[in-house]
Amino acid sequence: MNIKILTPEFVVFEGEVSSVLLPGKNGDFQIMKDHAAIVASLTGGKVKLFTNEIDEKFAGHFTRESEKESVFSFSLKSGVIEFNNNKGIILAE
């Protein structure tokens, strides 16, 4: 599935991931391939991407959480996600 993370200043990430863990208003939730369409607000916390690698141009924005599981995180203050047809856009602050 394809995820794009945008801030007002720049594109944080765009690429293929196996899943994404997000800090929702009512707690963390995970979106995997073929997830139902969703629009949700996000609170302060970490967006965790489960992917084999992150392109060099995006790597500076991420912290590697786990070496063996290939989990990368990005901190945000708030935001919103729209996910449909295995494509997600996260608008982050």
Side-chain angles (χ1 to χ4, degrees):
M1 64 185 211
N2 186 278
I3 294 291
K4 184 184 259 188
I5 303 175
L6 305 170
T7 68
E9 293 84 27
F10 53 88
V11 176
V12 175
F13 176 81
E14 183 174 8
E16 292 296 315
V17 301
S18 57
S19 68
V20 59
L21 183 65
L22 301 152
K25 293 273 186 191
N26 295 320
D28 290 353
F29 65 99
Q30 191 162 12
I31 295 178
M32 302 176 94
K33 186 177 182 208
D34 298 328
H35 193 285
I38 186 172
V39 174
S41 59
L42 306 173
T43 61
K46 290 184 179 180
V47 172
K48 293 185 180 180
L49 302 177
F50 294 78
T51 184
N52 291 331
E53 64 180 353
I54 290 191
D55 192 303
E56 281 186 27
K57 63 183 172 185
F58 304 125
H61 306 295
F62 289 89
T63 303
R64 189 171 194 131
E65 293 282 319
S66 170
E67 286 292 328
K68 71 178 178 183
E69 293 182 18
S70 296
V71 180
F72 300 87
S73 67
F74 171 74
S75 296
L76 57 81
K77 294 179 187 172
S78 65
V80 65
I81 182 168
E82 178 186 4
F83 185 84
N84 193 14
N85 295 324
N86 287 321
K87 293 181 182 168
I89 297 177
I90 300 169
L91 303 175
E93 183 178 357

